[in-house]
Amino acid sequence: MGPLMLDLEGLEINAAEKDMLQNPLLGGIIFFTRNYASPQQIAELSQAVRETARRDILIAVDHEGGRVQRFREGFTNVPAMASILQNANDLAEAKASAYRWGSLIAIEVQAVGIDFSFAPVLDLGDEISRVIGDRAFSTKVDEVIELGREFIKGMNDFGMAATAKHFPGHGSVEADSHVDIPVDERPREQIISQDMRVFAELAQNYQAVMPAHVIYPSVDKQPAGFSELWLQDILRNQLSFDGVIFSDDLSMKGAEVVGGYYERAKAAVTAGCDMVLVCNHPQEGRELMSEFDFDVDSKSAERLARMKGQSLNYSLTQVRQGDNWQQLEHDLQLDKMV
C-alpha cells in the first residue's frame, strides 16, 4: 500500500484524479465537506475511488463530532467530545456515552464505504489551546484516558481502527499548527507526565497515531511529526507502539519549518511515518507523487492494511432511527456475530 494520502476536489472524480488514483504511491484518500452531498453520493464516490484505483486503498475522513464533522445532513449530529462528561451525571455515565459515540461514528462512516475516521482526539482540553478546546474529552489526564479508552473500544467493537491524535499532545500550547508554528516551552518532565501520559496509557488500545506539528524544545528541535526521537525512540521503543503513524497534513503552517513538500515528506518518512498526508493542495500533492523517491519502512504496508474498515450489515438509516441505544447496541452486537 502506497505511502501517500491525498484528497479530491469535488463530488466526483475528475480526469486528473483518475491518473492519480492509479498511481501505486497513492495509498489513501481523505474526504472533506466539499466531497459530500448526501449519504448515497458519498457511498458512490467511495466505490468509484476503489474501482478507479483497482487495488486496496484506504479512505478516511475527519469525523470527530462538534466542529470537526465533515458530513452533516443525513448523518447523526455528533457532539463535541467535551460535552460528553459535561452532560453526564458521573464518569461511569460519561464512559458509556463515549463508547456509544465511538460505536456510532464507526457504524455510520463505514456504512458509506469509508474505512476510518481520524479519531479520537486525546489531547488535553486546556483553555490555552485555540485549535483543540472542546474537541478534547476533558482537561484532566485521567478523564481523557478513561473516556478515550471507551470511545476507542466503541470504534473497535464495530470494525473501525482508531487514530489517536495529536501525539504527544497539542492541547497545552496556544498556537494553532494549521496557521502557525506552535512551540511548547514546558519542561520535558511535564510534557511526558501530563499530555503524553494519555498516549502512553492507551498505546496498546489505538491502532494508529497522528503526531502534532508542534515543537517541544526540551525534547527535540524538530516538530514531533518530523522527529525520530519522538516517533522511534519514544513512541515505537518506549511505548512499544506497532501501529500506523500518519503524518498530520503537510500543507499546514506547522510543517513549513522543514522546507518544501518534498523535504516535509522525506523528513516525516525518515522520522517514522508510514503514510503522509497532503490536503487541499492538489498540485503540490501530485508534484510530490512524481518526486517521491525515498524508502518507507518495510512494515508500513502491513500496518496500513490493518486500517481497512469492515462491512457491517446495518444501513445508515437503521442506525439513525435507533432511538433506543440499548436496543441498537444489542442488535448491532448480534449483527456482528452473524
Side-chain angles (χ1 to χ4, degrees), residues 223-281:
F226 304 112
S227 166
E228 189 171 343
L229 195 158
W230 274 116
L231 302 188
Q232 296 295 333
D233 293 355
I234 297 176
L235 184 59
R236 292 278 189 223
N237 296 333
Q238 295 181 32
L239 302 187
S240 300
F241 178 71
D242 191 38
V244 174
I245 303 177
F246 290 101
S247 82
D248 206 344
D249 180 10
L250 296 184
S251 66
M252 290 164 59
K253 182 73 173 180
E256 290 183 3
V257 294
V258 180
Y261 282 84
Y262 177 89
E263 289 77 21
R264 299 174 205 179
K266 185 174 183 178
V269 169
T270 301
C273 289
D274 298 292
M275 180 173 276
V276 298
L277 282 70
V278 177
C279 306
N280 305 307
H281 287 74

Side-chain angles (χ1 to χ4, degrees), residues 60-311:
V61 65
D62 282 317
H63 202 84
E64 303 170 8
R67 54 197 157 100
V68 184
Q69 179 172 337
R70 305 307 186 197
F71 310 150
R72 298 284 180 175
E73 187 174 351
F75 274 72
T76 301
N77 183 32
V78 181
M81 292 297 102
S83 70
I84 291 177
L85 187 58
Q86 293 167 358
N87 295 331
N89 292 316
D90 52 33
L91 183 59
E93 183 179 314
K95 286 167 64 176
S97 181
Y99 177 89
R100 291 168 177 171
W101 286 116
S103 302
L104 183 111
I105 288 172
I107 296 159
E108 290 197 343
V109 166
Q110 289 176 118
V112 294
I114 295 170
D115 294 299
F116 62 93
S117 169
F118 282 114
V121 167
L122 295 184
D123 305 297
L124 302 182
D126 194 307
E127 292 182 0
I128 193 175
S129 174
R130 300 200 303 262
V131 69
I132 302 301
D134 64 0
R135 296 167 65 191
F137 289 105
S138 172
T139 61
K140 298 179 180 178
V141 174
D142 290 338
E143 290 175 348
V144 176
I145 291 171
E146 292 298 314
L147 297 176
R149 180 181 287 114
E150 291 304 310
F151 185 94
I152 290 167
K153 188 175 188 301
M155 295 178 79
N156 290 172
D157 279 355
F158 295 98
M160 180 174 284
T163 303
K165 54 188 189 184
H166 305 82
F167 176 83
H170 197 316
S172 298
V173 62
E174 181 179 2
D176 178 353
S177 56
H178 292 84
V179 295
D180 207 341
I181 302 172
V183 179
D184 189 334
E185 299 283 4
R186 292 176 301 157
R188 175 191 175 105
E189 294 74 18
Q190 187 176 357
I191 297 165
I192 298 295
S193 65
Q194 295 183 14
D195 302 62
M196 202 196 80
R197 187 161 74 84
V198 180
F199 294 89
E201 292 277 349
L202 299 177
Q204 303 311 309
N205 294 79
Y206 49 78
Q207 291 70 47
V209 67
M210 178 176 284
H213 287 323
V214 176
I215 300 171
Y216 308 86
S218 63
V219 181
D220 194 1
K221 64 181 181 180
Q222 294 288 2
F226 304 112
S227 166
E228 189 171 343
L229 195 158
W230 274 116
L231 302 188
Q232 296 295 333
D233 293 355
I234 297 176
L235 184 59
R236 292 278 189 223
N237 296 333
Q238 295 181 32
L239 302 187
S240 300
F241 178 71
D242 191 38
V244 174
I245 303 177
F246 290 101
S247 82
D248 206 344
D249 180 10
L250 296 184
S251 66
M252 290 164 59
K253 182 73 173 180
E256 290 183 3
V257 294
V258 180
Y261 282 84
Y262 177 89
E263 289 77 21
R264 299 174 205 179
K266 185 174 183 178
V269 169
T270 301
C273 289
D274 298 292
M275 180 173 276
V276 298
L277 282 70
V278 177
C279 306
N280 305 307
H281 287 74
Q283 181 177 341
E284 288 84 350
R286 289 171 204 152
E287 288 175 356
L288 176 60
M289 182 177 289
S290 68
E291 297 170 349
F292 198 101
D293 61 355
F294 31 90
D295 295 331
V296 296
D297 190 327
S298 59
K299 296 181 180 178
S300 289
E302 178 184 340
R303 293 184 186 122
L304 288 163
R306 300 178 206 153
M307 299 299 294
K308 293 294 293 182
Q310 295 185 16
S311 297

Side-chain angles (χ1 to χ4, degrees), residues 316-330:
L316 189 59
T317 301
Q318 287 173 298
V319 174
R320 297 196 71 237
Q321 290 176 345
D323 295 327
N324 185 328
W325 259 110
Q326 187 174 16
Q327 183 62 46
L328 175 60
E329 288 175 312
H330 174 73

